[in-house]
Amino acid sequence: SPCQGKFVALMKLTLPFVHAGWTTPYSPARRLAMSAADPCRYALVTIVSGTLVKRYKRFLADVKLDSNDELVTAHVANPGKMTRYCDPGTRVYLSESTNPTRKLKFSWELAEIRHENLGVDPTFVGVNTSMANKLVKSAIESNVIPTLSGYSNIRTEVSNVYKTDPRSRVDMLLSGHESLPDALVEVKSVTMGLIDEVGSETEAKQRIGIALFPDAVSKRAAQHVENLGKVAAMNKMRAVLVFCVQRSDSICVGPAEHIDKTFSRALQTAIGHGLEVICVQAAWDGKSSFVQLGKMLPFFPSVSECLEYAESVVLAASKSGLPVVGEALVPPTDHVESKQNAGAKRKRKTSQT
């Protein structure tokens, strides 16, 4: 099996991709047809629901189980701020381990965020950031991510790859492709939504579907991107950053420049050097016994461009009568093409300088 641990790959799906920060142009009708296909699915292990009492010491959470009102302590595999979805009273979902040697029996896997005043469905967030690498690795092995398919060998946690920083490790090293060079892949788990930073109701509606990274200052993430940028500049190996978006409401991804300017600047520089950015969504609908992985999302290098994109999606959805979240429409082709042209001009300008 290509996936070990909590998830098992069941199906495959080939979808459009995000390359170097810009989407490929395709019509809303084609996008909807692809959304209707069977995505790659990952079966969930035993999940129990409950209510969050409190999160403390960063990696611990007390949860009151729905089944018997028992108060249990769960491990929290997420070092971020977890804005909005670690508030007391949040509905949460835990995995239950049968390993007798584990100190904590439960792990916090998912959280449910409600925006009842906006009239939208609940958002399900994957709390366990360590799951992102497993999901992406399985997606690559299952050929779910088109631009990373065709590699016969995948090594994980490879050390001493960057000569400028011998202490660092890369999440994955892909090799054995018939025509493409080896690829260094870093995976980042995206769990924050711009909507989580609550403002007025009008502002909240404008922020629906915009996923951001990081949710806290991350020197480590900035360093990873800088290293990838150096690899891309040498033009000998592919340098790839994969955002695994563990939110069910996401329609696009961008850098949280207002939270971590250093990371945002490093990302912009790396993209200019040839870094490939891929955004793949891993979402749970709160009902199924599996997580869906394979829906590709567009990446934009600023929050303002994310807001512009989200506005066009809302407009297209309102005209068609379809929901924005879930089966999100893509704006007209000329909107995407204009973004691509802008990106190409920026890259040419960078290479000339």
Side-chain angles (χ1 to χ4, degrees):
S1 170
C3 183
Q4 304 297 325
K6 295 184 172 66
F7 296 87
V8 178
L10 300 177
M11 308 180 88
K12 298 180 181 179
L13 175 65
T14 299
L15 286 171
F17 60 89
V18 179
H19 180 270
W22 305 102
T23 63
T24 54
Y26 47 91
S27 68
R30 180 182 171 198
R31 178 66 186 88
L32 288 175
M34 289 178 174
S35 296
D38 288 329
C40 182
R41 295 177 176 180
Y42 297 85
L44 289 166
V45 295
T46 303
I47 293 292
V48 295
S49 61
T51 302
L52 179 66
V53 176
K54 64 176 179 178
R55 178 200 183 192
Y56 57 101
K57 293 183 179 179
R58 201 177 187 187
F59 298 110
L60 298 174
D62 287 344
V63 176
K64 185 178 181 181
L65 301 182
D66 290 340
S67 58
N68 54 12
D69 289 337
E70 179 186 0
L71 186 66
V72 300
T73 299
H75 175 243
V76 184
N78 191 323
K81 289 185 177 180
M82 299 171 58
T83 304
R84 278 298 303 277
Y85 57 92
C86 71
D87 297 340
T90 298
R91 185 167 180 78
V92 301
Y93 300 85
L94 314 177
S95 62
E96 185 176 358
S97 173
T98 57
N99 185 351
T101 63
R102 274 193 54 160
K103 184 176 181 180
L104 294 176
K105 183 179 179 181
F106 295 95
S107 294
W108 186 0
E109 300 292 347
L110 299 147
E112 180 178 338
I113 305 177
R114 293 184 174 271
H115 302 286
E116 296 176 351
N117 59 320
L118 300 180
V120 297
D121 292 336
T123 297
F124 295 96
V125 182
V127 174
N128 190 343
T129 58
S130 66
M131 192 56 59
N133 285 41
K134 298 176 183 179
L135 289 168
V136 171
K137 181 176 182 289
S138 298
I140 295 172
E141 291 175 328
S142 301
N143 295 318
V144 169
I145 303 176
T147 52
L148 296 181
S149 64
Y151 286 95
S152 60
N153 185 37
I154 302 177
R155 294 171 57 196
T156 59
E157 296 295 326
V158 183
S159 59
N160 201 24
V161 174
Y162 306 111
K163 294 182 180 180
T164 56
D165 187 6
R167 296 173 299 175
S168 65
R169 293 183 297 178
V170 67
D171 287 332
M172 298 179 203
L173 172 58
L174 313 184
S175 60
H177 199 284
E178 292 183 357
S179 57
L180 295 177
D182 294 353
L184 295 181
V185 179
E186 287 285 358
V187 180
K188 299 301 175 189
S189 177
V190 182
T191 60
M192 175 188 175
L194 188 59
I195 193 175
D196 298 337
E197 298 183 324
V198 180
S200 65
E201 185 172 327
T202 301
E203 289 177 336
K205 288 182 178 179
Q206 294 172 341
R207 297 174 175 184
I208 293 176
I210 299 175
L212 299 177
F213 180 89
D215 70 347
V217 174
S218 177
K219 294 181 180 180
R220 184 169 177 265
Q223 185 62 57
H224 286 167
V225 170
E226 288 178 8
N227 288 336
L228 286 174
K230 293 175 182 177
V231 171
M234 290 187 291
N235 203 29
K236 294 181 179 180
M237 300 179 67
R238 295 176 65 189
V240 184
L241 178 65
V242 178
F243 287 119
C244 183
V245 187
Q246 298 196 69
R247 289 183 66 98
S248 62
D249 64 347
S250 301
I251 59 176
C252 65
V253 184
E257 50 201 357
H258 59 296
I259 293 177
D260 193 341
K261 294 181 180 179
T262 301
F263 172 81
S264 298
R265 286 194 294 264
L267 181 58
Q268 296 294 342
T269 301
I271 289 175
H273 289 158
L275 172 69
E276 300 173 50
V277 179
I278 298 172
C279 306
V280 58
Q281 185 182 41
W284 185 55
D285 61 7
K287 303 174 184 177
S288 309
S289 60
F290 55 82
V291 171
Q292 296 186 164
L293 181 71
K295 181 179 178 182
M296 312 306 289
L297 304 177
F299 170 83
F300 295 98
S302 69
V303 172
S304 60
E305 288 171 282
C306 286
L307 287 167
E308 180 185 350
Y309 176 84
E311 183 180 358
S312 66
V313 170
V314 171
L315 179 62
S318 63
K319 289 181 179 179
S320 66
L322 292 169
V324 176
V325 176
E327 299 294 342
L329 286 172
V330 171
T333 301
D334 56 353
H335 172 94
V336 179
E337 288 178 337
S338 67
K339 290 295 181 184
Q340 285 185 305
N341 292 335
K345 290 179 181 178
R346 184 184 298 116
K347 189 170 183 179
R348 285 197 297 270
K349 183 178 179 181
T350 302
S351 61
Q352 290 171 0
T353 56

